[in-house]
Amino acid sequence: PLQSVNSRVGTMSSVAAASAVASYQAAANANGKDATDESCSWQHESKAQAGEAADLRRQISNDPNRADNRRKSLVSDQEYKDTLKKAGIEDVNEPAFVPIVDRPQFDLAIGAVISFNAVIMGFECDFKTHGGDMLVWRILDNFFCIVWIGEMILKLYYWRQNYFKQAWNYLDLFLVLIAINDAWIMPFLQAEALESLGAIRTVRMLRILRLLRLVRLMKMFRNLWLIVSGFFDSLSTLYWVLLLMSLVVYIFGVFLRTTINCDDQFAGWTDCYAMFGSIPRTMYTLFQVLTLESWSMAIGRPIFEVQPAFFPIFLFFLFLTTFGLLNIIVGVIVENTLNVAQQNQELQDKRARQRLVKDLDTLRVVFEEADSDGSGTLELEE
């Protein structure tokens, strides 16, 4: 086995390195240790590997003899890239500098503050209304306000005009304005002035809107955000499904309102007018039927005892709405969630390729460093 070390540093070493790293990742996936599931780990490891490769390159460049040997090496950068391409590995470039607002540590810190803010809002609802210490709540409001402003300033500094290309940032900007109004403007206004302006109720509604910041917290949990993204992507289709369901309910409502006479045939049923006394009441009753909420005892039996011919009508309505359209809604949400998961998997695959390329770059430097005489082959002594 030691004699096999005497091999070329070019294609043979690159393919071997690629196979070794690919085998390691396959074994890790089999054991449920896919390193691409967590963005923090792969970025830390990638930076560490890049640092090791950079140290080796500096050692070679600082040694004149080794630098000359490397220049004499039979492996060129183009040959190395061609080898990666033949092995099905793309050289995915990533920026050398990652802004602090794009790092996972920054997202985790902001997520922790959002979670803490949500907990404080719950305590504030209970204790602030019972005459609690107002100074504590003002200090906390100022702290959160400063954090949100600092986050927005950092993103504006690093992203520049790209900050306004994301819809989520408009929500953040709106919430920052609410925080500034709540912490630095409202405390200085007199209660009498607010009452004269009728703004107290509006202020309370704006304070409730701070809960929208919890939506950002969902983005930090991949599996949770897949469900939320799948639901949002389904809204356009759900609109048409709900429109179709409304038409079906309206058609059956008109039919039942016309055929069920509460003054004649169903005069003995005390709840007849409450259930079918008008088109809106009939549609609401059908909505209760399609949700299966006690419809059999409260609606079905009183009608079927007087007129059994209505049973197939209600049965057809149930199959059309409850077992048909409602299941379509579930299927649409599931389909869009799977599509979002597929897109996320493509992102994870791209990160895996980045790690693989960095591993191969490190191995290439190691092989070339071992080739001390620049012959293009590794001897047993080397």
Side-chain angles (χ1 to χ4, degrees):
L2 293 177
Q3 293 179 355
S4 64
V5 178
N6 187 16
S7 61
R8 291 182 59 84
V9 186
T11 304
M12 295 294 291
S13 63
S14 299
V15 175
S19 301
V21 177
S23 301
Y24 168 77
Q25 288 188 338
N29 291 336
N31 293 328
K33 299 178 180 178
D34 189 358
T36 62
D37 286 345
E38 297 295 337
S39 61
C40 295
S41 60
W42 76 264
Q43 286 191 1
H44 284 304
E45 294 177 6
S46 298
K47 292 177 182 178
Q49 293 163 354
E52 294 174 1
D55 292 339
L56 288 174
R57 291 189 180 97
R58 281 195 295 270
Q59 293 176 6
I60 296 174
S61 61
N62 293 333
D63 191 338
N65 295 328
R66 290 176 177 175
D68 292 338
N69 292 336
R70 189 182 180 189
R71 282 193 292 268
K72 296 177 182 178
S73 177
L74 299 179
V75 181
S76 64
D77 291 338
Q78 186 60 41
E79 290 175 340
Y80 177 71
K81 293 181 180 180
D82 292 340
T83 302
L84 292 181
K85 187 175 181 180
K86 291 179 181 178
I89 305 170
E90 297 180 2
D91 189 4
V92 183
N93 296 323
E94 64 176 4
F97 173 74
V98 179
I100 186 174
V101 294
D102 293 329
R103 297 178 185 177
Q105 298 89 339
F106 182 81
D107 290 335
L108 290 176
I110 295 298
V113 177
I114 292 176
S115 302
F116 181 58
N117 186 23
V119 173
I120 292 300
M121 288 178 63
F123 282 104
E124 186 179 0
C125 292
D126 285 338
F127 295 101
K128 192 173 181 179
T129 55
H130 292 82
D133 188 3
M134 298 297 295
L135 180 61
V136 176
W137 307 117
R138 289 182 180 178
I139 293 176
L140 291 173
D141 287 341
N142 281 273
F143 167 74
F144 292 125
C145 185
I146 293 173
V147 172
W148 309 143
I149 294 175
E151 178 196 11
M152 183 184 66
I153 292 175
L154 285 175
K155 288 184 176 180
L156 285 171
Y157 175 77
Y158 285 106
W159 291 351
R160 309 288 181 177
Q161 66 274 11
N162 293 328
Y163 177 86
F164 300 98
K165 295 181 180 179
Q166 299 182 17
W168 287 107
N169 293 329
Y170 287 97
L171 175 61
D172 287 342
L173 180 61
F174 176 68
L175 295 176
V176 168
L177 295 177
I178 292 178
I180 293 175
N181 175 78
D182 193 26
W184 296 341
I185 297 179
M186 298 306 300
F188 298 99
L189 296 180
Q190 299 295 329
E192 294 79 5
L194 290 177
E195 292 178 357
S196 62
L197 294 175
I200 293 181
R201 183 174 299 178
T202 304
V203 172
R204 290 177 179 175
M205 292 300 298
L206 291 178
R207 290 173 63 85
I208 295 175
L209 291 177
R210 293 182 300 174
L211 292 172
L212 292 176
R213 199 177 294 274
L214 291 175
V215 178
R216 285 191 52 201
L217 189 61
M218 298 179 185
K219 295 185 66 177
M220 301 178 186
F221 299 96
R222 187 175 66 90
N223 293 331
L224 179 60
W225 185 244
L226 289 179
I227 300 175
V228 176
S229 300
F231 177 77
F232 281 121
D233 291 343
S234 306
L235 289 179
S236 59
T237 306
L238 292 179
Y239 168 77
W240 296 107
V241 175
L242 293 177
L243 179 61
L244 177 60
M245 183 178 295
S246 300
L247 291 175
V248 172
V249 171
Y250 178 75
I251 292 172
F252 276 85
V254 172
F255 173 77
L256 293 177
R257 178 69 182 91
T258 305
T259 55
I260 296 179
N261 190 348
C262 296
D263 297 328
D264 183 14
Q265 194 174 18
F266 295 92
W269 184 22
T270 57
D271 294 332
C272 180
Y273 185 78
M275 297 288 184
F276 300 96
S278 63
I279 292 296
R281 295 188 182 199
T282 305
M283 293 181 63
Y284 183 75
T285 301
L286 290 176
F287 178 77
Q288 180 181 349
V289 171
L290 70 89
T291 59
L292 303 179
E293 197 277 317
S294 66
W295 77 276
S296 178
M297 298 299 296
I299 303 172
R301 289 186 181 275
I303 295 177
F304 303 153
E305 289 178 357
V306 177
Q307 186 57 262
F310 280 100
F311 176 76
I313 297 175
F314 279 89
L315 186 64
F316 177 67
F317 176 78
L318 283 175
F319 273 98
L320 189 62
T321 56
T322 305
F323 305 114
L325 295 178
L326 290 184
N327 283 324
I328 290 177
I329 294 176
V330 175
V332 169
I333 295 177
V334 171
E335 181 183 4
N336 283 277
T337 303
L338 293 177
N339 291 335
V340 174
Q342 179 64 31
Q343 297 174 3
N344 183 77
Q345 185 61 40
E346 294 176 357
L347 176 61
Q348 300 295 339
D349 293 341
K350 179 180 178 180
R351 291 174 175 175
R353 290 195 299 269
Q354 290 177 344
R355 294 191 59 199
L356 182 57
V357 170
K358 290 182 179 297
D359 290 339
L360 294 178
D361 287 339
T362 303
L363 290 176
R364 178 190 179 188
V365 175
V366 171
F367 273 76
E368 292 179 344
E369 169 68 8
D371 185 22
S372 58
D373 58 0
S375 62
T377 59
L378 293 180
E379 304 296 337
L380 181 59
E381 293 78 5
E382 294 176 335

